[in-house]
Amino acid sequence: MKMIKIPDELFCYFEKVGQAVTYHKNDIIYMQGDNATSLYLIKKGRVRVYYVSKYGDEATLEIVEKGRVFGESSFIQQSKRPTTVSAVNDVELISCSLEEMYPYLSESKELTILLFQLLSNTCNRLASLLNQSYFYNRYEKVADFLLQETANASKDRNISEDCVPYSHEEIALCVGLNRVTTTKILNHFSKLGYVKIKYKKVIIVDRQGLSGFLE
């Protein structure tokens, strides 16, 4: 899935109406259930978007990097945040309200189109997660995650076309499995020669082999 980003030259529209804010690693940016009042553009760093169950279990929906927008729930008036977002590392954000952005949307057709594409991207991402949750077994979930994450290289996320820079615990959170199960699956893929496992890193050696789990 191709990720839509706001190019640097359009950051100025957010900077005109928004406020620069900084968060440090593991800081909570907003909590599930908070009032959705602001839209955020990432200028630097990465954030984790995740859902917390009533029992305290966490399910990571996405890791979001520079140029991406999050907090789309603010498009709906008087809405609540459906997820929690925290900083993966030190992040620089621009926080702004949609009302303040409206005048500038008429100035930039490109910005308007990108925001609509971002909303569509979020819907596609959620559809993909539902598909994984309902129809994939544990091997398929991990294989699909590795293939999806490396489908597009991202310098800001430190992801290449063959390497996912996540620990087993982080991958487990992203696919909704426990760490022990995730490690067993990765070790199985390694024995098959599909991946190489290194410290906080999984390198894909055979994409076709991994894809075979999804066919």
Side-chain angles (χ1 to χ4, degrees):
M1 184 187 303
K2 184 178 180 180
M3 293 301 163
I4 305 299
K5 294 186 179 183
I6 304 295
D8 290 2
E9 58 267 24
L10 296 182
F11 281 16
C12 60
Y13 291 107
F14 292 84
E15 292 169 337
K16 286 177 182 178
V17 299
Q19 178 181 2
V21 289
T22 301
Y23 292 90
H24 300 293
K25 183 177 179 179
N26 297 325
D27 283 353
I28 299 294
I29 297 167
Y30 58 72
M31 294 284 291
Q32 193 172 306
D34 287 352
N35 292 328
T37 56
S38 299
L39 189 69
Y40 295 88
L41 171 69
I42 303 176
K43 289 188 67 177
K44 180 182 178 183
R46 303 188 300 277
V47 304
R48 179 168 76 102
V49 182
Y50 57 101
Y51 181 83
V52 183
S53 76
K54 63 181 180 180
Y55 303 108
D57 299 318
E58 297 178 2
T60 298
L61 302 180
E62 196 172 9
I63 304 295
V64 189
E65 74 279 15
K66 178 187 173 183
R68 300 280 301 282
V69 169
F70 66 94
E72 300 98 322
S73 51
S74 62
F75 279 83
I76 303 173
Q77 289 187 345
Q78 298 180 337
S79 63
K80 301 288 186 180
R81 298 293 189 191
T83 56
T84 297
V85 178
S86 63
V88 173
N89 51 11
D90 289 349
V91 295
E92 296 177 11
L93 310 173
I94 303 173
S95 170
C96 59
S97 72
L98 196 60
E99 281 192 13
E100 294 172 325
M101 285 291 296
Y102 283 143
Y104 297 98
L105 295 181
S106 60
E107 288 185 18
S108 174
K109 180 180 178 181
E110 183 182 2
L111 178 61
T112 304
I113 291 172
L114 282 171
L115 287 176
F116 278 117
Q117 288 177 334
L118 283 164
L119 288 173
S120 176
N121 219 71
T122 298
C123 290
N124 291 338
R125 174 68 176 170
L126 290 175
S128 176
L129 290 171
L130 284 172
N131 184 54
Q132 290 177 20
S133 177
Y134 280 96
F135 302 115
Y136 283 4
N137 63 36
R138 59 188 185 276
Y139 291 95
E140 291 169 333
K141 286 180 179 180
V142 177
D144 185 62
F145 173 78
L146 295 175
L147 292 169
Q148 291 284 354
E149 285 296 291
T150 57
N152 298 286
S154 173
K155 181 179 178 182
D156 296 309
R157 294 171 67 192
N158 199 27
I159 288 178
S160 70
E161 292 181 357
D162 299 310
C163 179
V164 179
Y166 296 163
S167 68
H168 293 192
E169 179 69 28
E170 290 168 330
I171 293 174
L173 285 171
C174 289
V175 298
L177 299 172
N178 64 53
R179 187 196 60 76
V180 174
T181 298
T182 301
T183 296
K184 287 180 179 179
I185 293 168
L186 290 171
N187 286 337
H188 179 64
F189 289 166
S190 178
K191 288 178 181 178
L192 292 173
Y194 297 161
V195 304
K196 287 183 179 179
I197 301 172
K198 296 190 176 183
Y199 179 68
K200 290 189 174 183
K201 185 181 296 185
V202 178
I203 300 171
I204 298 176
V205 178
D206 185 352
R207 297 187 72 87
Q208 187 173 355
L210 281 180
S211 298
F213 279 90
L214 307 176
E215 296 175 355

